[in-house]
Amino acid sequence: MNPAALKVNIPKLLPNAILILNTDAFKEKNLQLAKFEQNPINDDTLKDFQVFPVAITTLTREALKDAALSVKEKDRCKNFFALGMTYWMFTRPLDVTSEWIKQKFKSKPEIIEANITALNAGYNYAFSTEIFTTSFKISEASKKKGTYRNITGNDATALGLIAAAKKAGKELFLGSYPITPASEILHALSKYRNYDVKTFQAEDEIAGIGAAIGASFAGDVAVTTTSGPGLSLKSEFMGLAFMLELPLVIVNVQRGGPSTGLPTKTEQSDLLQAMYGRNGEAPIPIIAAKSPADCFRAAYEAVEVAFKYTTPVILLSDGYIGNGAEPWLIPNPENLPEIDITYADNAETFYPYERNPKTLARTLAIPGMAGFEHRIGGLEKEDITGNLSQDPENHQLMTELRAKKVEKVNDFAKEPEFHGEDEGDLLLLSWGSTYGVIYTALKELKTEKKVSWCHLRWVNPLPKCLGGKISNFKKVLIPEVNAGQLIKLVREKYLVDAVGFNRVKGQPLSSHEFMEDIESHLKGL
Amino acid sequence: MNPAALKVNIPKLLPNAILILNTDAFKEKNLQLAKFEQNPINDDTLKDFQVFPVAITTLTREALKDAALSVKEKDRCKNFFALGMTYWMFTRPLDVTSEWIKQKFKSKPEIIEANITALNAGYNYAFSTEIFTTSFKISEASKKKGTYRNITGNDATALGLIAAAKKAGKELFLGSYPITPASEILHALSKYRNYDVKTFQAEDEIAGIGAAIGASFAGDVAVTTTSGPGLSLKSEFMGLAFMLELPLVIVNVQRGGPSTGLPTKTEQSDLLQAMYGRNGEAPIPIIAAKSPADCFRAAYEAVEVAFKYTTPVILLSDGYIGNGAEPWLIPNPENLPEIDITYADNAETFYPYERNPKTLARTLAIPGMAGFEHRIGGLEKEDITGNLSQDPENHQLMTELRAKKVEKVNDFAKEPEFHGEDEGDLLLLSWGSTYGVIYTALKELKTEKKVSWCHLRWVNPLPKCLGGKISNFKKVLIPEVNAGQLIKLVREKYLVDAVGFNRVKGQPLSSHEFMEDIESHLKGL
Amino acid sequence: MSDMIDKQGKLKLEIKDFASDQDPRWCPGCGDYAVLSQMKKILPNLGTPKENIVFVSGIGCSSRFPYYVDVFGLHGIHGRAPVIASGIKLANPNLKVFVFTGDGDGLSIGGNHFIHLCRRNIDITVVLFNNRIYGLTKGQYSPTSLKGQITKSSPYGTIENAFNPVQMALASGASFVARSIDRNPKHLAKVLDAASRHKGTSFVEIYQNCVIFNDGTFSKYTDSDKKKDNIIEMNPGEPYIFGANNDKVLNWNGFDFDIEDYDTTKEDSYLRHDERHGHASMEFMLASMSQNNNLPTPIGIFRHENDATYDDNLINQINEVKMKKGVGNLKDLLFSGNTWTVE
Amino acid sequence: MSDMIDKQGKLKLEIKDFASDQDPRWCPGCGDYAVLSQMKKILPNLGTPKENIVFVSGIGCSSRFPYYVDVFGLHGIHGRAPVIASGIKLANPNLKVFVFTGDGDGLSIGGNHFIHLCRRNIDITVVLFNNRIYGLTKGQYSPTSLKGQITKSSPYGTIENAFNPVQMALASGASFVARSIDRNPKHLAKVLDAASRHKGTSFVEIYQNCVIFNDGTFSKYTDSDKKKDNIIEMNPGEPYIFGANNDKVLNWNGFDFDIEDYDTTKEDSYLRHDERHGHASMEFMLASMSQNNNLPTPIGIFRHENDATYDDNLINQINEVKMKKGVGNLKDLLFSGNTWTVE
Ligand SMILES: Cc1ncc(C[n+]2csc(CCOP(=O)(O)OP(=O)(O)O)c2C)c(N)n1
Ligand SMILES: Cc1ncc(C[n+]2csc(CCOP(=O)(O)OP(=O)(O)O)c2C)c(N)n1
Ligand code: SF4
Ligand code: SF4
Ligand SMILES: [Mg+2]
Ligand SMILES: [Mg+2]
């Protein structure tokens, strides 16, 4: 679209629509012609859309630099360049269109070649730059009163972290290494220097979490952000953070795996890695965001728990909600829960591994506090004193204490979201970004059977009430964008013959397919 | 012990006894006096024992260099140095003995100080050098005919790997980074250059597995060895190996965790990490060794499966069996199973992700094979051709194929070891190094109830027969040196209310405690 | 294969023999294309059969290189290509192994593997595409980004100093170290060819333009009006002449270079480039110039040394041990030590 | 605290104030003890209150250092101390942060973090105990082990070249680079003191004897009959004099050092050490000498530069953005962008 076309079309666009803009066309002159005062790419005009500014003219000319065509003819191939990009976006093959071009311009082989080249170049450009990641429209019309804005999950995560740090009266430290689809959190946070946000782009994921652990030790609200393969690299340091019992938030924006996998596609397949991906007995609380806007609250809550229980916390998001946007009912900062961080106050009686009897959090003291000098590390340590200890009974005790502490998070966590009656035929049990699809499916579901839905916020620990809930239903169905991960935790813990609805296609679940699956289960009940 | 004392005592020593030898005393002269022809530390005389040669005299003198004592007096403190070492070994505190010394030498403060210094120095020396790792006597008197030798688990692993490579007619490549208690496998293998063993001490664990993957791609039998925190670091590369579907053996000699934990102590707490410690859906076969000598067979089998199914395989050992020794019935190499490795043979029809319909192994071709040039990598790839693919259905298909392949290992694996009747009251289900303790406990168990025992060799996939077996018992008891890991897999899969006997003390299970636990369970049945 | 051997029994390969079935997928105008075409040009003449060539890479735009040449290829994970390549070379020392990497892949996450590879001097050629940016992940700064550079992750400018990749390679012990530019195809081909033929770790830094996220970062070395003043081509045996009209020359004062007007009558007094001299002082001085605004930036070969390679050392050690102890026999191995027999 | 301030309001600390309740647990005779006592000696005089000092380490014998001094300490994981230290320093730039590491911890597994720390020039002091061996894990070779060295993992001798840690630090951009020896306590104290006071990344390599697994590896630098011929102490403003009777001197020939007899009458013609000169040629030349058997090995300070630190740059950038955009207010932040209201 050029500026004039844009101007005309803005009102017709759905929020969150995908806009591919040719930046070459957004020059002074065209802007004036279209009566834009400022370049809309750079101001807030397009905030509600997903904007992809691309220098289409330049890129097309470059792609065709060896073609024996006039500039004008070359420029006509622009549309095929743009088409190539959208083909990549929707993973469509190029051959059909190539064939069509060949038919259409049969008599002009140079034009055929140029158009095909442009088509390919557009496709390659999109491929090369990982510019489009899975991000579909998610929009749940909300009627609650209040002020709204559109927000992507990654931006909401960034804001949730800043809000938590501000409420805690702390500076925010992010140690991170770029990786699709998590980089935008780093990008967003790097803008907020005036909010006392320190972003440290580390040499790798290991350094990112390591620096965050250091910052936590020294008293910042500390965070590290990544995606799947990056989480793998953080495994060893996650074990250290667990052992040090330091507050830390680890954000994992999941993508298609395994290995490099499908970096621009979405998946929920890092849950078990988050649960078990480190040596020894090292449970870590896991919270999952359900939608783009919800990333704000999830991030905020992750910080609360990290400090309340002196523990690393893993926040699971994914490419779908990280890049997707939806309207967000903006909270008034005054209504956000207070976060108070307490430090040891008596140097005489200070022991770093003395615990708060209620939360089992250990006693924190940070460098700069005179008289509280102490040393912590990754070797097993004695209860209370924190001195090194190889004592067998102490190791058993510490292992148990650390595990109990994670269970305690249930004292903090609210009951999970529950829709429907407390007992019935089918219970849908879900977590994370499947929320939107399930919501839609349930709305459309017509049945006489009793179907209820429980959507988890904390995946570790599983909520206390869950066992009771599950036992009140004939069948439990667990939809996940993976080969079955939450279902493993649930079957193991409650010994219930839950069934899964699992798709591993790099895409959100199809609500249509899902509906069908529910219906077939209901038939059998 | 000096040489003379050693000479006298050798016949009295139990096999695998711990010998701390003062190397300073093993000089020409003393050796001659004791009628040793060669220094027994360097030859095979002491092969049946765990020998720790330490320059006790030198170290004691050095520790006391500032003490105002004669050399003779200093040398008398040697015994306290040695005592300090054993205290570390058995994690005993030093204070009681320090008190005793103070009482005993009340009138001679310099002597008190010197002895306490020596005691501490011995303790520190042992601590510093990670010289003693958990390793207790494991010995199961075997009456089978044949030739035996004593062997530690780590040495047996090394030999198993060499044997497999030799039988496959391949060179053996080890990429590794030293870490207690796995380093001895690297040490052992580095001696066998004349067996075409290439050991590559890498800059870290990541490089260790990465080099092994490269070597596998180029046609070697490739292995990487490590312990807990090192396995964490290998997570990302394990995902790649899984995606590349290349044969690779990953040996993890477990130690006390989490984090740096208890590096010289034993634990079975990396099972879930081995199962799930990487991003995306990436199941890998896991085999566990049950005893020091068994490491040979387990390593051999790991190589067989890695090639038969073109997959990475994780071999779990631990500090207890890795360092412990037992008599090994040496197999005749001719009787070891053949390992044949087949490569693609027709360049025209070659596709790297075409599969053997029986094993689902993919078709291998290695550099140097003219006409088979191809490229593989960590991005999702198209079925059969191996070209990059983002197609949703293809991703689903490939995810399923990769998982199915792991299940196929059951076609290869023998039924797990089973003792007792096929049905009854209590089924003990176990894996890895608990074997010895359970064996002993069961021998001593007196009960009228029917108790059977199933000891797994392959932990992933779980054997096909297991579900049937489990359902024939009133109760299933799973002993593990962790907080409950195999039990999670079993409960999840078979929905059986198995109970655990779990100890996390950095030590093998106490067979006494375990017996009591069995008895209390039997009472309730 | 047979049709690739000519009548004299010599290997005869052509560019088209290296064509892969995958189309390059870089952005139009990306500097990576230039490297690809030069690489394809030199490969047929190396005297190595196709099937003995292996391309290894990490992750990044540049790391997609292996897909576009029909040799064996392994597209690894981010930063780890050097270790995969090391394993390949040690498994089969007959192979010619290349690593293609970027400034992020090779120097940020992969920095450690890179320096250890150089230290070990394994016979591998590392080609680093330095575009001073993370291309694939859409434009964050890299360890070679210039201080102050504004990128997606540094909206107010980076506050980090840049690595000097050539100095890193020299300090860590690579035996061949060179630099070239995407826009100078002839020079590029020459340097890549020399690197490929070198035995030991050879390292080539290529200044490569990312048209999308860091366009023009090397323009002072490529724009026709500036490049002659800002670039100096180091040629063995020649003085360090540069300038729009080849009118300037570097003169060594014992600690530093002074820029002088080039004067043919003084020809004999000028220091001449010698990539095989082995003087740490000169190598590092030349390497430091790219970060010195008062001096031109050198391209060409900084170091070219013959040093024992790790792979040769390993094979030699294996052969020595075989000589001393005999070729290992499995039965002897298993039955060694104190054995006893139960009958 | 109050009792640590003297009448003039100045901080007054003593060695005993730094005594920790843990006894050092190194082997008797280990070189680590020497470093500990010198470190304890200089700490009281740095002018930094105890509670503002943080010791960070990885894993290894040397990495147990933090337990033995009563300041804040973090005993991290293997190789990663530099990143933990970076986070600590950036969280609270008032802290004085030290990293204690070994040749394995700092240069093998941790090599990448080390060079990136140097590049960023974060104000942290790195003390590397180079004993050319893995001590804690019982004696495998390290990246500084000498080629041919026989160790647990190289029974036939290593086939790897050793890193030159000083060159690595220089090449990666550390602003203070020095070397000392465990057996020369005075020199050690002097160098550690200068490093601790330096603003920016300071790096000190210490040759440290591991009596158990690599005893005597530095004997030619410590044995009284050899050391004077093999070690040269670099002192600012002084010529490079060495030898049993201070009878030899290094003379710079423009590319290399020549060894000459020291002649007081030529005093003026000798090159004098200047750690602040900033000539890449000299710095790297001096650094290369430890790997050159024909020249003595220098100890002392190789580079001592004032350069903006990352931590200062970060704080400055934060302040600048605050100046330009105003101190951030949470409400404004949340309600920014296109908002709409549902009533
Ligand atoms: C473990 C891991 N971390 C991060 C990424 C994301 N990532 C892919 S390429 C890249 C950097 C690419 O930069 P460079 O190496 O300079 O290559 P270029 O694209 O510029 O050629 C990053 C951060 C990844 N794939 N894997
Ligand atoms: C991830 C990981 N890998 C390996 C180890 C084992 N390890 C501990 S210290 C060490 C090397 C110690 O050498 P160095 O850093 O030189 O310290 P030194 O003991 O010689 O002072 C190794 C390999 C570990 N603890 N963690
Ligand atoms: S993003 Fe830059 S480096 Fe990557 S393909 Fe495009 S132009 Fe090349
Ligand atoms: S093993 Fe070596 S480095 Fe470690 S404490 Fe003992 S002497 Fe020191
Ligand atoms: Mg780049
Ligand atoms: Mg060391």
Short mmCIF file of all heavy atoms in Angstrom, two decimals, chain C residues 60-62 101-105 128-136 140 142 144 208 210, ligand 5:
data_model
loop_
_atom_site.label_atom_id
_atom_site.label_comp_id
_atom_site.label_asym_id
_atom_site.label_seq_id
_atom_site.Cartn_x
_atom_site.Cartn_y
_atom_site.Cartn_z
N GLY C 60 22.08 -18.28 11.25
CA GLY C 60 22.20 -16.89 10.82
C GLY C 60 21.97 -16.86 9.32
O GLY C 60 21.89 -17.92 8.68
N CYS C 61 21.86 -15.69 8.73
CA CYS C 61 21.70 -15.63 7.28
C CYS C 61 22.89 -16.30 6.61
O CYS C 61 22.75 -17.16 5.74
CB CYS C 61 21.62 -14.18 6.82
SG CYS C 61 20.16 -13.32 7.44
N SER C 62 24.07 -15.89 7.04
CA SER C 62 25.30 -16.42 6.47
C SER C 62 25.39 -17.93 6.66
O SER C 62 25.96 -18.65 5.84
CB SER C 62 26.49 -15.75 7.13
OG SER C 62 26.22 -15.46 8.49
N THR C 101 30.17 -18.74 8.96
CA THR C 101 29.61 -18.19 10.18
C THR C 101 29.44 -16.67 10.07
O THR C 101 29.95 -16.06 9.13
CB THR C 101 30.50 -18.58 11.39
OG1 THR C 101 29.91 -18.10 12.60
CG2 THR C 101 31.88 -17.98 11.28
N GLY C 102 28.71 -16.10 11.02
CA GLY C 102 28.50 -14.67 11.04
C GLY C 102 29.16 -14.03 12.25
O GLY C 102 29.74 -14.73 13.08
N ASP C 103 29.06 -12.72 12.34
CA ASP C 103 29.67 -12.03 13.47
C ASP C 103 28.97 -12.39 14.77
O ASP C 103 29.60 -12.43 15.83
CB ASP C 103 29.69 -10.52 13.26
CG ASP C 103 28.40 -9.98 12.68
OD1 ASP C 103 27.76 -10.67 11.87
OD2 ASP C 103 28.03 -8.84 13.03
N GLY C 104 27.68 -12.67 14.71
CA GLY C 104 26.98 -13.10 15.91
C GLY C 104 27.26 -14.56 16.19
O GLY C 104 27.68 -14.95 17.29
N ASP C 105 27.08 -15.37 15.19
CA ASP C 105 27.28 -16.81 15.32
C ASP C 105 28.72 -17.15 15.73
O ASP C 105 28.94 -17.94 16.64
CB ASP C 105 26.96 -17.45 13.96
CG ASP C 105 26.88 -18.96 14.01
OD1 ASP C 105 25.94 -19.46 14.63
OD2 ASP C 105 27.76 -19.62 13.43
N LEU C 128 34.10 -15.97 8.00
CA LEU C 128 33.19 -15.21 8.86
C LEU C 128 32.63 -14.01 8.11
O LEU C 128 33.38 -13.12 7.68
CB LEU C 128 33.91 -14.77 10.13
CG LEU C 128 33.04 -14.08 11.19
CD1 LEU C 128 33.44 -14.54 12.59
CD2 LEU C 128 33.09 -12.57 11.11
N PHE C 129 31.32 -13.99 7.96
CA PHE C 129 30.62 -12.89 7.30
C PHE C 129 30.34 -11.81 8.33
O PHE C 129 29.43 -11.95 9.15
CB PHE C 129 29.28 -13.36 6.73
CG PHE C 129 29.39 -14.41 5.66
CD1 PHE C 129 29.97 -15.64 5.92
CD2 PHE C 129 28.88 -14.18 4.39
CE1 PHE C 129 30.05 -16.62 4.93
CE2 PHE C 129 28.96 -15.15 3.40
CZ PHE C 129 29.55 -16.38 3.68
N ASN C 130 31.12 -10.77 8.31
CA ASN C 130 30.94 -9.72 9.30
C ASN C 130 30.09 -8.60 8.70
O ASN C 130 30.57 -7.81 7.89
CB ASN C 130 32.30 -9.18 9.74
CG ASN C 130 32.15 -8.12 10.81
OD1 ASN C 130 31.04 -7.83 11.27
ND2 ASN C 130 33.27 -7.55 11.22
N ASN C 131 28.82 -8.57 9.10
CA ASN C 131 27.96 -7.46 8.67
C ASN C 131 27.62 -6.54 9.84
O ASN C 131 26.75 -5.70 9.74
CB ASN C 131 26.69 -7.97 7.98
CG ASN C 131 25.93 -8.96 8.84
OD1 ASN C 131 26.23 -9.09 10.03
ND2 ASN C 131 24.96 -9.64 8.27
N ARG C 132 28.31 -6.76 10.94
CA ARG C 132 28.14 -5.93 12.14
C ARG C 132 26.70 -5.87 12.61
O ARG C 132 26.26 -4.83 13.13
CB ARG C 132 28.66 -4.51 11.88
CG ARG C 132 30.15 -4.45 11.60
CD ARG C 132 30.57 -3.03 11.29
NE ARG C 132 32.00 -2.88 11.14
CZ ARG C 132 32.57 -1.84 10.57
NH1 ARG C 132 31.83 -0.85 10.10
NH2 ARG C 132 33.88 -1.76 10.49
N ILE C 133 25.98 -6.94 12.46
CA ILE C 133 24.56 -6.95 12.85
C ILE C 133 24.08 -8.39 12.90
O ILE C 133 24.70 -9.26 12.30
CB ILE C 133 23.72 -6.12 11.83
CG1 ILE C 133 22.35 -5.70 12.40
CG2 ILE C 133 23.48 -6.91 10.53
CD1 ILE C 133 22.40 -4.46 13.24
N TYR C 134 23.02 -8.62 13.65
CA TYR C 134 22.32 -9.90 13.56
C TYR C 134 21.30 -9.77 12.45
O TYR C 134 20.28 -9.10 12.62
CB TYR C 134 21.59 -10.20 14.87
CG TYR C 134 22.48 -10.55 16.04
CD1 TYR C 134 21.94 -10.79 17.30
CD2 TYR C 134 23.85 -10.66 15.90
CE1 TYR C 134 22.74 -11.13 18.37
CE2 TYR C 134 24.66 -10.99 16.97
CZ TYR C 134 24.10 -11.22 18.20
OH TYR C 134 24.90 -11.56 19.28
N GLY C 135 21.57 -10.41 11.33
CA GLY C 135 20.65 -10.30 10.22
C GLY C 135 19.39 -11.13 10.43
O GLY C 135 18.28 -10.61 10.46
N LEU C 136 19.58 -12.42 10.62
CA LEU C 136 18.44 -13.33 10.64
C LEU C 136 17.39 -12.95 11.67
O LEU C 136 16.19 -13.11 11.44
CB LEU C 136 18.91 -14.77 10.90
CG LEU C 136 17.82 -15.83 10.78
CD1 LEU C 136 17.39 -16.00 9.34
CD2 LEU C 136 18.31 -17.17 11.33
N GLN C 140 19.53 -6.88 15.61
CA GLN C 140 20.12 -6.46 16.88
C GLN C 140 21.62 -6.23 16.69
O GLN C 140 22.21 -6.75 15.75
CB GLN C 140 19.90 -7.51 17.97
CG GLN C 140 18.44 -7.82 18.26
CD GLN C 140 17.86 -8.83 17.27
OE1 GLN C 140 18.57 -9.42 16.48
NE2 GLN C 140 16.54 -9.00 17.32
N SER C 142 25.65 -6.61 17.22
CA SER C 142 26.51 -7.78 17.38
C SER C 142 27.82 -7.33 18.02
O SER C 142 28.03 -6.14 18.22
CB SER C 142 26.78 -8.40 16.01
OG SER C 142 27.95 -7.84 15.44
N THR C 144 30.52 -6.97 16.77
CA THR C 144 31.35 -6.12 15.91
C THR C 144 30.61 -4.83 15.53
O THR C 144 31.14 -4.04 14.74
CB THR C 144 31.76 -6.87 14.61
OG1 THR C 144 30.57 -7.31 13.93
CG2 THR C 144 32.64 -8.07 14.90
N GLN C 208 30.82 -7.72 5.00
CA GLN C 208 29.67 -8.09 4.18
C GLN C 208 28.52 -7.16 4.47
O GLN C 208 28.16 -6.92 5.62
CB GLN C 208 29.29 -9.54 4.46
CG GLN C 208 27.99 -10.01 3.83
CD GLN C 208 26.89 -10.21 4.86
OE1 GLN C 208 27.15 -10.59 5.99
NE2 GLN C 208 25.65 -9.94 4.47
N CYS C 210 24.84 -5.99 4.90
CA CYS C 210 23.46 -6.41 5.10
C CYS C 210 22.59 -5.24 4.65
O CYS C 210 22.49 -4.23 5.34
CB CYS C 210 23.21 -6.73 6.57
SG CYS C 210 21.45 -6.91 6.98
MG MG E 5 25.81 -10.74 11.18
#
